[in-house]
Amino acid sequence: MTRAAPRTAIIAADPLARAGLASLVTAGGIPVVGQVAPPDDLAETAAIYQPDVFLWDLGWTPDRYLEQIVDFIQPESEVAGPRLLALLPGEEAAATLWQAGVRGLLLRAASQDQLAAALVAVAEGLVVLDPRLPTLLVRAPVENGEALAEPLTPRELEVLQLLAQGLPNKTIARQLQISEHTVKFHVNAILGKLGAQSRTDAVVRASRAGLVLL
């Protein structure tokens, strides 16, 4: 059964950014239910538009919104609000947002396909981290609930994503413009860090950990 595309509300201070993101998201097959400037009360905005996920472009000064986002992600009530995908200008605010509980982080340079896939994943409750963000963020939980002893590198995350698509080493090497020998090296490292016995097992463990990288 095909899942419905997530209803998305776009938040951005710049009206041109809102319009541009709405165009990209809609072209990617994701319905946009609202476009707003950063509101004083995110919970009220969520009640009005009832989105499955917020797409928040933090612009070039994300620090000004951090406290507001923290209050939204960590509400006093136990009722879970809509998911949040944050667009960042760089890696500076990534750690703070991650620690606050934001599990959808992409750089503003993300493509239309990346945005659409990320919105679907975040709406499903999965983790979305731009592979260009610091590896210190990527300590995915394993099946017993503990963190990986060693985080995956950005390149390993790229290889893992392609493994999840069922691609062979030769195709992965061509897409990443590296040698097959290097791909094998990364695959072995991924297996070791995930404690997996095979490529399929690695993908299953990564899926169960809720780790999705775009």
Side-chain angles (χ1 to χ4, degrees):
M1 179 178 178
T2 302
R3 295 180 182 273
R7 292 163 46 86
T8 301
I10 295 173
I11 301 175
D14 185 345
L16 291 179
R18 293 197 298 270
L21 285 173
S23 178
L24 282 174
V25 170
T26 302
I30 307 294
V32 174
V33 296
Q35 305 175 43
V36 297
D40 293 328
D41 190 337
L42 277 173
E44 181 180 356
T45 302
I48 293 172
Y49 293 102
Q50 299 184 350
D52 299 309
V53 59
F54 275 115
L55 174 61
W56 193 334
D57 179 3
L58 297 178
W60 299 107
T61 56
D63 290 349
R64 64 186 294 189
Y65 304 116
L66 292 181
E67 184 176 349
Q68 187 178 6
I69 291 175
V70 169
D71 290 341
F72 182 59
I73 295 296
Q74 302 174 352
E76 294 182 0
S77 69
E78 297 182 355
V79 179
R83 316 282 183 175
L84 174 63
L85 174 64
L87 295 181
L88 307 175
E91 64 182 51
E92 293 77 14
T96 301
L97 288 169
W98 177 260
Q99 292 166 6
V102 179
R103 291 298 178 261
L105 300 172
L106 281 184
L107 295 181
R108 295 185 80 209
S111 68
Q112 174 184 302
D113 290 342
Q114 287 176 316
L115 281 175
L119 287 168
V120 171
V122 171
E124 293 284 334
L126 300 178
V127 175
V128 176
L129 293 176
D130 194 301
R132 292 165 290 187
L133 291 175
T135 58
L136 62 89
L137 300 178
V138 188
R139 294 186 179 275
V142 291
E143 289 176 293
N144 62 7
E146 299 178 354
L148 292 177
E150 183 179 357
L152 300 178
T153 67
R155 180 63 84 185
E156 288 165 357
L157 292 169
E158 291 178 321
V159 173
L160 177 60
Q161 177 190 3
L162 296 176
L163 286 178
Q165 296 176 20
L167 301 181
N169 286 354
K170 186 174 183 179
T171 304
I172 293 175
R174 184 170 60 251
Q175 288 202 17
L176 298 181
Q177 297 183 338
I178 57 179
S179 69
E180 286 189 60
H181 176 78
T182 301
V183 172
K184 290 179 182 179
F185 175 83
H186 289 312
V187 170
N188 288 335
I190 291 169
L191 295 181
K193 291 179 180 181
L194 292 176
Q197 301 300 314
S198 66
R199 296 159 66 100
T200 301
D201 187 26
V203 171
V204 170
R205 287 173 181 265
S207 176
R208 289 175 178 172
L211 181 61
V212 175
L213 297 168
L214 303 170

